[in-house]
Amino acid sequence: MELKLYRDVFKDITSYTEKVKQEKYASCAALVIMKDNNIVHEWYSGSHHFEKGAKKIDFSSRFNVYSTRVTYVGLAIAIAVHEGYLDRKIK
């Protein structure tokens, strides 16, 4: 099945991401959506911090996301167990 990408297809998720950024008083937000190992949407907003002269974020910006890493690893393990790639009885 071929996915046709239209310019506004990611408008809602991009707007939502900007809204959350403002609600959480974050200095920046980034959204990258991939399909079939290709980037199909990129969006960047804000700067690295709130101080004067802060660099705007872009594709090369780095973020510390330690708190989310455990969630993703747990999800990956749960999917692997569910799909039979891992046996949960092995210790």
Side-chain angles (χ1 to χ4, degrees):
M1 179 175 144
E2 184 178 326
L3 174 69
K4 287 189 174 186
L5 297 177
Y6 297 99
R7 187 172 200 148
D8 294 332
V9 74
F10 301 112
K11 182 179 174 184
D12 290 345
I13 189 70
T14 302
S15 296
Y16 176 76
T17 305
E18 178 63 33
K19 178 183 169 198
V20 170
K21 177 188 133 213
Q22 291 174 6
E23 288 175 356
K24 300 299 180 186
Y25 197 63
S27 64
C28 63
L31 176 64
V32 177
I33 299 174
M34 297 183 72
K35 179 170 182 349
D36 297 330
N37 214 26
N38 294 305
I39 294 173
V40 294
H41 179 67
E42 289 183 83
W43 172 83
Y44 305 95
S45 173
S47 57
H48 284 269
H49 52 79
F50 289 114
E51 303 298 319
K52 184 177 179 178
K55 181 183 173 195
K56 293 252 182 221
I57 66 162
D58 61 20
F59 71 94
S60 66
S61 297
R62 303 283 177 157
F63 302 95
N64 292 324
V65 289
Y66 302 112
S67 61
T68 61
R69 188 178 325 174
V70 173
T71 303
Y72 290 125
V73 170
L75 177 61
I77 291 171
I79 291 170
V81 169
H82 177 74
E83 293 183 358
Y85 293 108
L86 291 176
D87 184 352
R88 66 182 190 178
K89 295 175 186 165
I90 295 175
K91 294 182 180 183

